[in-house]
Amino acid sequence: MTGIVRRSFDSADETRPFEGGKGRLDLLSTDNGAVGRAVFEPGWRWSEHVKPIAGTDSCQASHVGYVVSGRIHVVMDEGGQEEEFGPGDFMQVTPGHDAWVVGEEPCVALDWVGFGDYAKSS
């Protein structure tokens, strides 16, 4: 690895579209693992637009990330804990949840942990 690396999500190593044209995941492969930028379009919901790709009842990815713009609401399977994240928010979410976009603005989020296998066909 060189001392400085500059990459653009606009030239991602891989792009994974969500069902129904409701967004995409752009991935950059790094020496430390995948880093992803997700663009969740208004109306996007994990249980409708990623579940058919993932083949699980709820999202089983662990997320550690940052919301750049828009809003996303997350509800945990166990206990029903829920939280809404917006611009500037750090988020950490364990596996076993559903999520959806709130409002009419796309939600853009960066994730350093959970997007490597996210929305990836088995």
Side-chain angles (χ1 to χ4, degrees):
M1 178 179 112
T2 60
I4 297 174
V5 175
R6 180 177 181 260
R7 305 279 310 276
S8 172
F9 283 107
D10 294 332
S11 299
D13 295 318
E14 182 180 357
T15 296
R16 299 178 188 158
F18 301 141
E19 294 283 316
K22 288 292 183 181
R24 69 184 186 281
L25 172 63
D26 300 316
L27 282 174
L28 297 177
S29 298
T30 76
D31 291 344
N32 295 311
V35 177
R37 172 184 69 180
V39 178
F40 304 108
E41 296 293 341
W44 176 90
R45 186 177 186 116
W46 187 92
S47 54
E48 295 175 24
H49 301 103
V50 180
K51 180 179 178 175
I53 300 167
T56 56
D57 287 336
S58 62
C59 182
Q60 296 302 307
S62 184
H63 302 288
V64 176
Y66 176 81
V67 177
V68 176
S69 61
R71 301 195 73 74
I72 192 164
H73 193 93
V74 180
V75 177
M76 301 302 297
D77 295 346
E78 303 246 349
Q81 181 183 2
E82 52 188 288
E83 188 64 61
E84 188 172 304
F85 299 95
D89 286 343
F90 167 82
M91 63 179 186
Q92 185 169 351
V93 181
T94 57
H97 57 272
D98 194 6
W100 57 87
V101 170
V102 176
E104 296 304 316
E105 178 185 357
C107 179
V108 177
L110 304 177
D111 191 320
W112 292 268
V113 174
F115 279 168
D117 291 326
Y118 190 83
K120 187 175 185 179
S121 299
S122 307

